[in-house]
Structures are given as structure tokens and as C-alpha cells.
Amino acid sequence: MKYLFFFITISYLMFSSGSYAQEANDLAPPPPPELNEENQELNKAPPKKKKKLKHCGPTTAKLCDQVEKIEDISDYAWRVGAMGAALCSQSAAIEATRKQRKDKIEYEKRLERIAKDEGKKYKPWKPSETNSTFAKRTSNECVSNMKYWCEEMKIAAAEINDSDTQMEAMGIVDKACN
């Protein structure tokens, strides 16, 4: 009797688990649309933030406006203003190089598409360095340019004898460089 009861219990568990297994194979209803939207938002990778350089880029003109004010302070601050002009000039040259490269790559892609549409072969210009190496190199040039000229401007501003002029020049240098 004990074995009969044990056998009935085991067979009941085996058959009932089979029905649960059958239910597990049935398709589940689709998740609510709100959950899908949340999952899509979670799966999206955050956009890469471009590292903005203080002196190489669209902000160059704004910063250079600050440096130009140094020349207006007094005749003693001309060296600081000249160094500021050199900083701005070099930064603008680096930015122009970046834009020129971008435009050339864009132009070459356009020529390649035109040639492809006409059924002609076109061998586009390929830059000698990758985009990432170019970006890294020009970024380093910009940072070192800024560090160098900002240090020189601070030294020149510190050498100004008139304390009021010196303070005003230092303030503008700090504003332009920091």
C-alpha cells in the first residue's frame, strides 16, 4: 500500500509536470508597447561626445576677441597682444587644415559616386593618415600651441611694470586661456 501510494504520487507529478511543460512551450503574449519603447531606449548607445578644443574650432574667434582687448589696454601690453595674435593665428591655421581635409575627402567621395554612376573607374585620393590619427595629431598640436602661447602671455603680462595694466592684462589672459 505504501508503494502504491508512492507510485500514484510519482505518476501524478510526472503527468502534471508534462502539462506545465506544454504550457511553457505556448507563446507568451507580446509585451506592452511601453516596455518595447523603454527597451529600445536602453539599447541605444549614448552618442559619442566630440572633444571640443578650446582654441581650435568655432570658439577660436570668441577667445581671440578677448585677446585683442589686451592691445587696447596700454602700450606696455603690446607683447602680450602679439603673443595672443600668434596663438589665434596658429589655432586658425590648424582649424583651416582640418576643414580643408574634410572638404577634400567629401569632394573625392562625390567624384567617386559620379564616376560610378557613369560606369567609369575612379581612383580617389586616400589620405596618408587615418581620420583618428589626423584628429589626434591636430588635437595635440592645438593643445600644445595653446599651452605654449598661454604660458608666454602669462609671463609677458607678469613683466608689465604698471600694476593696473598688469592686473587687467592677466585677467584677459586668464579669461582667454582658461
Side-chain angles (χ1 to χ4, degrees):
M1 185 69 168
K2 183 163 107 176
Y3 292 113
L4 181 62
F5 181 71
F6 182 70
F7 178 71
I8 292 172
T9 308
I10 288 184
S11 60
Y12 174 75
L13 289 174
M14 285 177 51
F15 289 117
S16 66
S17 67
S19 67
Y20 289 131
Q22 181 63 32
E23 289 174 6
N25 289 337
D26 291 342
L27 292 175
E34 302 87 36
L35 188 61
N36 282 339
E37 290 172 6
E38 289 174 10
N39 285 342
Q40 287 176 353
E41 289 175 8
L42 291 175
N43 290 338
K44 288 182 183 175
K48 281 188 174 179
K49 290 185 177 180
K50 286 188 175 182
K51 182 181 173 187
K52 294 193 177 191
L53 296 168
K54 192 167 186 175
H55 267 276
C56 295
T59 58
T60 303
K62 291 177 186 172
L63 290 165
C64 289
D65 287 344
Q66 292 296 321
V67 172
E68 287 174 6
K69 290 179 184 176
I70 293 172
E71 296 170 346
D72 298 337
I73 296 173
S74 74
D75 294 336
Y76 302 111
W78 70 268
R79 286 185 63 211
V80 181
M83 291 175 193
L87 165 67
C88 292
S89 173
Q90 187 62 32
S91 297
I94 293 168
E95 183 59 25
T97 306
R98 288 176 158 190
K99 182 163 177 22
Q100 191 176 30
R101 178 188 167 98
K102 181 182 172 190
D103 290 347
K104 183 158 184 162
I105 290 172
E106 223 174 80
Y107 178 71
E108 288 294 326
K109 285 180 182 177
R110 192 172 291 159
L111 287 177
E112 189 174 22
R113 271 187 260 131
I114 291 170
K116 187 178 178 181
D117 291 344
E118 293 176 356
K120 297 178 182 176
K121 288 194 175 199
Y122 178 75
K123 186 176 179 185
W125 167 81
K126 297 287 182 192
S128 60
E129 56 189 345
T130 64
N131 288 342
S132 59
T133 6
F134 178 77
K136 188 183 248 183
R137 181 177 59 79
T138 54
S139 296
N140 289 340
E141 284 177 10
C142 187
V143 169
S144 64
N145 175 53
M146 188 179 115
K147 283 182 181 177
Y148 174 77
W149 285 114
C150 285
E151 283 301 313
E152 291 296 316
M153 285 172 28
K154 286 177 184 175
I155 292 169
E159 291 175 352
I160 296 174
N161 292 333
D162 183 32
S163 62
D164 292 337
T165 306
Q166 181 184 34
M167 293 300 290
E168 203 171 341
M170 288 294 275
I172 292 174
V173 170
D174 287 340
K175 198 172 188 181
C177 292
N178 292 329

